[in-house]
Amino acid sequence: MPTTAAQHCMLCQRQVELTFHHLIPRKMHRRAFFKKHYDKAQLQAGIMLCMLCHKTIHRFYDEMTLAKEYNSLALLLTSDKVQQHIEWAKKQR
């Protein structure tokens, strides 16, 4: 996972080193459904997250669920689990 210098996480807003999160996980890119319904730019789209938020999202949801149900920042923010994590993560260093 490539990382960048300290910036604000797009979920918890903490200013820490960030990693790139593919909104449609790379494992799904080769599947026919995703090849048919999304172009390359959509498949490569992502958001910058801190490691804490990135790991938590993958712990909460498998790749197929992320790809089909939570494939945008707005959709991720609708998740109660993610909202609870954000509230907790904001209090962390």
Side-chain angles (χ1 to χ4, degrees):
M1 262 181 258
T3 61
T4 65
Q7 295 177 13
H8 289 90
C9 173
M10 294 180 82
L11 288 181
C12 70
Q13 301 303 311
R14 293 180 314 131
Q15 188 170 345
V16 294
E17 193 171 298
L18 303 179
T19 62
F20 185 80
H21 168 72
H22 283 92
L23 291 166
I24 298 174
R26 289 187 322 200
K27 188 186 275 188
M28 300 292 110
H29 292 190
R30 63 180 174 259
R31 293 189 175 221
F33 174 85
F34 295 99
K35 284 183 178 181
K36 181 178 179 182
H37 291 92
Y38 297 94
D39 63 29
K40 281 192 176 204
Q42 291 171 309
L43 292 174
Q44 293 301 321
I47 56 177
M48 298 305 291
L49 300 177
C50 67
M51 282 300 291
L52 185 60
C53 288
H54 200 162
K55 286 182 179 182
T56 300
I57 286 173
H58 286 283
R59 187 170 47 246
F60 286 159
Y61 302 108
D62 62 47
E63 281 89 359
M64 187 61 76
T65 302
L66 286 171
K68 287 195 170 185
E69 297 178 31
Y70 296 108
N71 56 19
S72 73
L73 178 58
L75 289 171
L76 278 171
L77 292 171
T78 65
S79 166
D80 289 338
K81 289 180 180 180
V82 171
Q83 284 298 321
Q84 288 176 349
H85 166 75
I86 291 169
E87 291 305 312
W88 174 82
K90 285 180 179 180
K91 299 173 189 171
Q92 307 307 305
R93 288 182 176 202

